[in-house]
Amino acid sequence: ASTQARTLLGAAVQVKPIPTLGPRELLVQVQACALSESDPTLPASTTRSGGWEIAGKIVQIGLEITRFSLGDEVVTLLPPDVPLGGFSSHVVTLEACTVARSAALSPVHCAAALGGGLLAYTALHYQRRIVPGDVVLVLEGASANGLVTMQIARHFGARVLVSAQTVTTAIHLRTVAPWAEVIDLSDRRTPFTAAVLGLTGGLGVDVVLEAARPHGVTIADTLTVLAGHGAWLTLDHTLQLDPPASQILFAKGAVLGFSSVHAWVRSCTQLGRLLHILTDIMALMARGVIVPHIARTVRFEELAGVLAESSRDPGVTVLDMA
């Protein structure tokens, strides 16, 4: 088995020793890793450089592993405190955060689907429990997690509205998701709140779900378009509401929730549900329900430059190590 791994730390590629596996840990050779943001709740001293959603092949197993064998093709959500990040040739992960994937599914597409899939399942099934007919507004639909989030909302029977920052991203969303109702924030003729309320007959939406940190939509806008007993699920870990905003939430009987996919791996009592989500994502991919949009694939040698870019094309950028 491998004893060293290449890993990207900051802008430098380093060779790190692979730590000894615990009894319930796996060593996975990385085939693909989605470029995701670093977890903002990690300590500032962490050496992690990002990359959480992994597709790869098992090359070593812990002594108590029962569900996997050497050579199995898998996907995994890396715990926040693992010694090697996803931008590595190999990663150490937990059996409880890993499920098998079909060899018919490409590792690039599997890695690309995990972020949006986890976000949507966490928000729409466990936090909100939407029912068919609910109206879901996805903010930042052209972001890395946007399309898969929209696809799962539609799979759950929701009517999907989505915001787009520019004419270009609006056209992109109408192309890849013609069943969604796109709100172009660059169209100044109709304000965002008027557009949403117009599409919903003045009732508002049942769920506002952020696929990425939103731009151009204020707290007041979000509260205005939220329906009675609705839910606003945010990625903003620093969000603070003034008393008037809280009073609006109270008057509507609405709730504010924080969407953190890493909450699953921070609580050992929730790992069974995480396995359920990951298994369902792979099953929906096999059925063609989830089809992530790959903006581009990059090689390991290109990764530092890509991470330094200030903006990316709509869709998911994936590190391809295969």
Side-chain angles (χ1 to χ4, degrees):
S2 301
T3 59
Q4 293 183 320
R6 288 190 306 157
T7 186
L8 183 70
L9 295 175
V13 176
Q14 300 183 20
V15 177
K16 293 284 188 178
I18 294 174
T20 302
L21 295 186
R24 309 297 299 184
E25 291 181 332
L26 303 164
L27 179 63
V28 175
Q29 180 181 344
V30 177
Q31 295 173 326
C33 174
L35 271 62
S36 52
E37 295 181 2
S38 294
D39 189 329
T41 63
L42 284 176
S45 60
T46 182
T47 57
R48 283 297 308 276
S49 57
W52 307 96
E53 301 93 25
I54 304 293
K57 180 172 67 175
I58 295 175
V59 294
Q60 189 177 341
I61 60 176
L63 295 176
E64 297 180 9
I65 298 296
T66 57
R67 292 195 298 118
F68 298 107
S69 302
L70 294 179
D72 284 355
E73 306 279 348
V74 296
V75 294
T76 186
L77 175 68
L78 291 185
D81 57 350
V82 293
L84 296 173
F87 302 150
S88 305
S89 59
H90 297 76
V91 295
V92 176
T93 189
L94 298 175
E95 179 187 28
C97 300
T98 306
V99 299
R101 65 175 174 86
S102 168
L105 298 174
S106 81
V108 167
H109 282 78
C110 288
L114 286 187
L118 285 162
L119 174 65
Y121 257 93
T122 301
L124 302 179
H125 182 69
Y126 285 103
Q127 290 181 288
R128 179 63 173 89
R129 292 195 176 273
I130 66 169
V131 297
D134 278 353
V135 182
V136 174
L137 169 62
V138 178
L139 299 179
E140 301 294 329
S143 64
N145 293 332
L147 179 60
V148 172
T149 300
M150 294 159 58
Q151 291 169 341
I152 291 180
R154 184 190 186 210
H155 171 68
F156 287 158
R159 177 187 172 193
V160 180
L161 280 58
V162 59
S163 72
Q165 288 292 325
T166 65
V167 173
T168 301
T169 55
I171 293 172
H172 164 76
L173 289 170
R174 292 187 178 105
T175 301
V176 298
W179 35 266
E181 298 168 76
V182 179
I183 300 166
D184 183 357
L185 297 179
S186 67
D187 184 355
R188 303 303 181 187
R189 295 171 297 178
T190 306
F192 169 75
T193 54
V196 174
L197 294 175
L199 288 170
T200 58
L203 299 177
V205 299
D206 299 292
V207 179
V208 176
L209 174 56
E210 298 174 6
R213 294 281 289 272
H215 301 279
V217 177
T218 66
I219 291 175
D221 292 337
T222 303
L223 296 176
T224 298
V225 303
L226 196 61
H229 300 287
W232 173 16
L233 302 170
T234 181
L235 295 173
D236 186 355
H237 70 289
T238 64
L239 179 67
Q240 298 183 40
L241 297 184
D242 292 330
S246 297
Q247 290 166 6
I248 294 173
L249 280 175
F250 177 81
K252 291 188 173 187
V255 298
L256 169 65
F258 293 88
S259 297
S260 171
V261 298
H262 292 290
W264 295 113
V265 295
R266 289 188 171 106
S267 174
C268 61
T269 62
Q270 301 295 321
L271 292 177
R273 290 178 174 177
L274 173 61
L275 290 179
H276 158 73
I277 295 172
L278 294 175
T279 301
D280 263 18
I281 292 171
M282 292 298 101
L284 293 177
M285 288 194 69
R287 291 165 49 191
V289 174
I290 295 177
V291 183
H293 177 73
I294 310 297
R296 63 191 285 199
T297 58
V298 298
R299 307 303 298 175
F300 190 77
E301 295 74 16
E302 306 170 303
L303 184 57
V306 172
L307 291 173
E309 294 175 358
S310 59
S311 63
R312 297 176 189 155
D313 294 332
V316 191
T317 300
V318 182
L319 170 63
D320 186 357
M321 301 277 282

